[in-house]
Amino acid sequence: MLREHPLFIPLSALVAGLVISDVSGISLPFSAVAAALCCLVLSCFVRGRLVVGISTFVFFLIWGLYALTPWKSPPASPYDVQQYAGHGPVIVEGIVLSRPVATAGGSSFVMGLEGVITGVTAVPARGNLMISVSSGDITVARGDRVRLATRIVQPRRLGLPGEFDYPRYLSFQGIAALGRVATMDEIVLMRAAAEDTILRRLDLAARRLGDFIRLAQPDVRISSVLAALLIGDQKRIPEQLNDAYTRAGVNHILSISGFHVGIIAFFIVQLTLLLATRSESLALRFNLRRLVLLFSLPAMALYLFLTGAAPATARSVIMLAAFVLTLYAEREGDPVNALLLSALLLLAINPPSLFDVSFQLSFLALWGIVIAVPGTMERLGAIGRGWLRTLLQFVAASCAASFATSVPVLFYFNQASLNGILSNFLIVPLLGYGAVLTGFCALPFVAVFPAMAHLLLWPAGKLVALSNRLIALFAQLPLLSCHAVTRLDMLACLLFMVSLTFIRGRRLKTALCLFLPVTAIAAHLAAPPARDGRLHITMLSVGQGEALLIRTPDGGVILVDGGGYLHENGRDFGERTLGPALFKLGVERIDRMLLTHSHPDHLGGLPFVARTLPVGEFLETVRGGTGEQYEQLRAILNRSGVPVRRLSAGDRLDLGGGVVLTVLSPGPPLRDIPSPADEMGMNDESLVFRLAYGGFSMLFTGDAGFEAEKRILASRADLASVVLKVGHHGSRFSTSAAFLGRVAPRAALISAGSGNGFGLPAPATLALLEKLGIRTYRTDRDGTIEVVSDGRDWNVSTPWHP
């Protein structure tokens, strides 16, 4: 194995070191790397492969334990931009470091700070700042010096189960903090091309090409796909269209990878060979078939930087360059070694790439193709010639890529599409061989012969339009959904691939390939059941919103509110935030969905949940709700035939397992429903209820304020509760002293977003809770909060502390 694949040990050791460092936080100093390198060099003078092998493994392991240090623990600086986070707006000045990225919801770029102006004082500042522009395209380019006013924000996790670690992602991109402006008009260009580099010029060329594509193809559904295929600009693809490509299983075609680069390299080689063979003197003096291979190398490098040097493109260029050089040297290239080499080089250049989902998926897809396709075609032997054999090879590659990535796709996205095996037959030829080649031929003519570029982009646009129509059909096919895939399954998948590739003994390979999946399945079967005879109440940390999950002792699931964005931003809160948290908690069905009131910060995630998971019953206040999101939710529930029950004070529900819900407010409708503009009126119409299980009880108050509390106090209902869900995110207009006196809670839970602009929870409310000796838990500080009770004892924990 080691003789055939000498890079396996270095790569596996480097990966192990990076993973250990990321998970445990261990970080070795550079001196440890230097010492390991000296040992490796000295081992070369010792006879025996074992010593060299061990020294190689140790060196790359230690390198992996050090490699993330510059990103995770950068050297401290008195000019660090993070010291301005959480304060008021400041004026920042610096150099644009990245190619600006435009999306349907705005644009963004990274700037390297040079200084900060606070008041009338200008001081040096260091650190990379990601600037988001809420609307409009960005006109500045890489290398420009710009100045703008923004509020600097240091990213932090919400503290949700299954949450994407955005702060870690940004740190691996070298980004220290975030800033935002409303429009490009708020950005002042101080000096264009302050740093004039070849990357800047390529960015400007790519921008001109993108503008030309959009001019030639005004339909955004066509031009955005063409721009993705030709210059790597994926961000402009409409979200619905991008989701359709994902559901159809061919989203990979929109990301420039080995497929695109390989087609273009092959085209360049064939074109160069055609032109070179026209010269008799060249044909006599050189081996043109070998020589023209070298012309593809600078072309691939140029295309790499023109398209933004994405990791998938860089990996593909490295692999193809390795193949080209082996062909030029007239040696037989091993695709596994080429894959190992490309991965090792990419991780050596940029170690955080290992944790990029696109890196993992494309690497596994290529790995699956490399180990499955040659063996499959060899077993087919003489079956199929010409186009039939090519078709069989295409089927084998598509199946191998789909199955090799199925486990990680389910782990990251909770659903996978096997539709790609079918849709690849039509979409790949249309876009890969058709639109990519015709569009690529158009690019050189954009500057010198625009009419010819228009002519070539016309058939490319027609092919994309046909592809979009087919994608709309394939996207209707069902997806494979699974929310139970764990890190153990990921490890088992990786070891399975390693066994299949690098183990030579047939018996050992077969035993391992059977043992690993059986072990993963056994681990799932041996997992403790979801119902453990206790009541679980989980306050999900959803930012400046509210969502609680109740799981009864007999396994019933009740979702109280769904969080949401305060203002419409085009994003689906349920898909991005609430859904992944529920999936990570193992929720497969919502027995009762309860909406306290129809404000967007309580309602926003529910439509996605209603579309994605089966819902047994929908509960709301007797007055119902209002607003566009509410109507959308009710439409989804109506289509699914979900029964609706309206509750008012005095209603009592048996939730099963000995858990009883008693409604305290609002009372029967004696007046009209408050309009959405009457925020306080809507808050006081929140559904307030008490949950009781044996000797434990908890009071849920929604956004109820003082007026609602007065009505509840006047009702003489039993309010005494062990735990109180504080009303209206801890507002000073809620949770009065009289109300707390009647409830007499021992613990209080508050849902609020970190650094929210409302100043919640209010200092007055916190002071009152502290004065009464009530232990307070807050999602902005503690992350997701879980209350567990067996009906006698109870405890509160924060297992997902941010």
Side-chain angles (χ1 to χ4, degrees):
M1 177 184 74
L2 299 182
R3 289 184 180 182
E4 294 180 15
H5 306 295
L7 295 178
F8 174 73
I9 284 183
L11 181 60
S12 59
L14 179 61
V15 169
L18 291 171
V19 172
I20 292 171
S21 176
D22 182 58
V23 172
S24 67
I26 296 174
S27 182
L28 297 182
F30 182 75
S31 57
V33 181
L37 179 61
C38 291
C39 293
L40 177 59
V41 173
L42 291 175
S43 70
C44 296
F45 298 97
V46 178
R47 289 186 176 182
R49 297 178 180 272
L50 181 61
V51 176
V52 176
I54 294 175
S55 300
T56 301
F57 183 86
V58 170
F59 167 71
F60 281 93
L61 178 67
I62 292 176
W63 182 12
L65 291 171
Y66 160 78
L68 295 178
T69 302
W71 287 270
K72 299 190 75 172
S73 303
S77 169
Y79 308 119
D80 198 325
V81 64
Q82 292 179 342
Q83 64 183 297
Y84 300 101
H87 302 293
V90 295
I91 298 175
V92 297
E93 183 173 312
I95 301 292
V96 179
L97 299 180
S98 70
R99 175 183 296 187
V101 176
T103 67
S107 308
S108 65
F109 64 91
V110 178
M111 65 182 295
L113 288 192
E114 296 178 328
V116 169
I117 301 174
T118 56
V120 295
T121 306
V123 294
R126 297 292 179 267
N128 294 341
L129 191 65
M130 176 180 280
I131 301 296
S132 299
V133 182
S134 299
S135 62
D137 286 347
I138 296 176
T139 55
V140 297
R142 191 195 310 250
D144 290 343
R145 177 173 286 112
V146 297
R147 178 182 290 184
L148 55 95
T150 185
R151 187 184 299 273
I152 295 176
V153 177
Q154 189 168 359
R156 70 186 299 272
R157 294 175 58 241
L158 289 172
L160 269 175
E163 178 185 5
F164 174 66
D165 195 341
Y166 190 54
R168 185 188 74 154
Y169 169 80
L170 290 177
S171 70
F172 283 166
Q173 307 299 314
I175 297 169
L178 306 174
R180 177 177 291 276
V181 295
T183 66
M184 183 62 204
D185 294 336
E186 299 180 27
I187 301 176
V188 179
L189 177 62
M190 304 300 292
R191 182 185 174 189
E195 294 181 359
D196 195 4
T197 63
I198 185 64
L199 288 178
R200 169 187 168 83
R201 301 192 178 203
L202 288 173
D203 286 354
L204 293 175
R207 179 181 294 180
R208 287 192 293 269
L209 293 174
D211 291 341
F212 186 89
I213 291 171
R214 285 183 283 275
L215 180 64
Q217 297 290 336
D219 187 342
V220 67
R221 294 172 60 85
I222 296 175
S223 62
S224 61
V225 173
L226 270 178
L229 294 172
L230 300 176
I231 58 174
D233 185 6
Q234 286 182 269
K235 301 296 185 180
R236 294 178 185 267
I237 299 175
E239 187 173 356
Q240 289 184 341
L241 181 60
N242 190 66
D243 289 344
Y245 271 87
T246 301
R247 290 180 63 87
V250 290
N251 187 264
H252 63 90
I253 198 70
L254 301 177
S255 173
I256 294 179
S257 60
F259 177 73
H260 307 73
V261 178
I263 290 174
I264 291 172
F266 179 78
F267 175 75
I268 290 173
V269 168
Q270 294 299 315
L271 181 61
T272 307
L273 183 62
L274 178 64
L275 296 175
T277 52
R278 300 296 182 186
S279 170
E280 185 176 348
S281 60
L282 288 177
L284 292 174
R285 293 179 62 184
F286 301 102
N287 183 342
L288 293 179
R289 289 190 174 276
R290 289 182 60 203
L291 186 62
V292 295
L293 290 171
L294 299 180
F295 281 87
S296 65
L297 296 178
M300 286 191 293
L302 179 64
Y303 189 59
L304 168 66
F305 292 108
L306 182 67
T307 56
T313 314
R315 180 168 52 258
S316 305
V317 168
I318 291 173
M319 283 192 64
L320 288 170
F323 277 119
V324 167
L325 292 175
T326 54
L327 289 173
Y328 180 78
E330 296 183 335
R331 298 184 61 182
E332 184 178 352
D334 184 345
V336 174
N337 282 332
L339 187 65
L340 294 174
L341 174 63
S342 64
L344 188 60
L345 287 177
L346 280 173
L347 294 181
I349 296 169
N350 186 30
S353 295
L354 177 66
F355 307 101
D356 188 284
V357 176
S358 66
F359 174 90
Q360 297 174 17
L361 295 181
S362 56
F363 183 82
L364 285 172
L366 284 172
W367 192 357
I369 291 171
V370 161
I371 64 176
V373 174
T376 301
M377 301 311 295
E378 183 179 345
R379 284 176 174 79
L380 290 176
I383 298 177
R385 295 293 181 187
W387 68 269
L388 180 57
R389 188 169 183 84
T390 302
L391 179 62
L392 293 174
Q393 191 170 13
F394 184 80
V395 173
S398 182
C399 292
S402 296
F403 286 113
T405 57
S406 58
V407 171
V409 166
L410 287 172
F411 176 76
Y412 287 115
F413 307 111
N414 301 299
Q415 60 182 16
S417 173
L418 298 181
N419 304 336
I421 298 175
L422 175 62
S423 56
N424 274 324
F425 286 112
L426 296 175
I427 304 304
V428 169
L430 283 174
L431 296 185
Y433 302 120
V436 168
L437 274 182
T438 54
F440 182 76
C441 291
L443 297 185
F445 293 104
V446 169
V448 296
F449 195 178
M452 177 60 74
H454 267 281
L455 184 64
L456 290 171
L457 285 174
W458 182 83
K462 293 300 180 184
L463 292 172
V464 170
L466 177 58
S467 170
N468 290 346
R469 286 195 289 271
L470 293 173
I471 285 297
L473 297 176
F474 286 120
Q476 302 302 316
L477 298 176
L479 295 173
L480 172 64
S481 297
C482 180
H483 309 305
V485 178
T486 65
R487 296 185 186 276
L488 177 62
D489 299 314
M490 289 278 284
L491 179 61
C493 174
L494 181 62
L495 293 177
F496 179 87
M497 299 280 285
V498 168
S499 302
L500 207 59
T501 309
F502 300 107
I503 300 299
R504 286 288 164 260
R506 177 171 295 181
R507 290 185 177 180
L508 179 59
K509 177 186 291 190
T510 303
L512 286 174
C513 289
L514 290 174
F515 172 76
L516 290 168
V518 168
T519 301
I521 294 171
H524 283 280
L525 295 176
R531 60 184 74 179
D532 60 1
R534 298 183 297 173
L535 173 67
H536 292 256
I537 303 172
T538 307
M539 175 177 273
L540 299 169
S541 180
V542 292
Q544 190 54 37
E546 192 165 288
L548 296 101
L549 183 71
I550 302 171
R551 288 169 289 179
T552 62
D554 62 352
V557 178
I558 301 96
L559 179 62
V560 180
D561 292 338
Y565 301 115
L566 288 169
H567 307 288
E568 178 60 39
N569 57 16
R571 300 171 183 165
D572 190 327
F573 184 86
E575 182 178 14
R576 287 173 171 262
T577 305
L578 180 61
L582 295 178
F583 299 152
K584 200 66 178 180
L585 290 172
V587 176
E588 298 179 351
R589 171 185 170 82
I590 303 295
D591 294 299
R592 291 180 174 90
M593 177 182 286
L594 191 153
L595 177 63
T596 61
H597 63 299
S598 56
H599 275 166
D601 57 329
H602 291 250
L603 168 64
L606 296 183
F608 172 81
V609 175
R611 284 194 307 268
T612 309
L613 297 176
V615 177
E617 186 180 20
F618 179 67
L619 308 176
E620 62 177 343
T621 70
V622 68
R623 295 173 175 83
T626 59
E628 183 179 347
Q629 285 186 326
Y630 175 78
E631 296 302 330
Q632 179 189 7
L633 173 63
R634 287 300 304 268
I636 295 170
L637 295 172
N638 290 339
R639 285 196 299 269
S640 302
V642 177
V644 176
R645 182 171 178 179
R646 293 190 164 183
L647 304 175
S648 62
D651 287 341
R652 181 182 171 92
L653 281 73
D654 184 351
L655 302 182
V659 180
V660 177
L661 183 154
T662 304
V663 180
L664 302 173
S665 180
L670 301 177
R671 58 187 178 89
D672 294 335
I673 300 174
S675 69
D678 182 9
E679 183 174 344
M680 296 303 294
M682 289 285 288
N683 289 337
D684 283 325
E685 297 299 325
S686 292
L687 192 68
V688 179
F689 60 92
R690 181 176 181 267
L691 205 67
Y693 173 52
F696 172 82
S697 56
M698 179 169 170
L699 188 63
F700 295 73
T701 57
D703 275 357
F706 290 152
E707 182 181 342
E709 291 176 2
K710 289 178 182 177
R711 292 200 306 264
I712 296 170
L713 290 172
S715 69
R716 303 290 183 178
D718 181 12
L719 304 183
S721 301
V722 176
V723 178
L724 168 67
K725 199 291 299 178
V726 175
H728 201 188
H729 317 284
S731 165
R732 63 191 177 94
F733 300 108
S734 179
T735 317
S736 64
F739 190 72
L740 284 175
R742 280 277 299 276
V743 178
R746 296 167 60 186
L749 313 185
I750 301 176
S751 180
S754 176
N756 65 84
F758 304 99
L760 299 175
T765 303
L766 294 175
L768 179 59
L769 292 169
E770 183 179 4
K771 178 182 177 181
L772 296 176
I774 302 170
R775 187 170 183 179
T776 304
Y777 298 86
R778 301 161 41 182
T779 58
D780 62 329
R781 184 187 60 194
D782 304 314
T784 294
I785 305 162
E786 185 165 44
V787 181
V788 180
S789 175
D790 60 3
R792 296 183 301 276
D793 299 324
W794 60 278
N795 67 78
V796 182
S797 62
T798 56
W800 296 281
H801 195 284

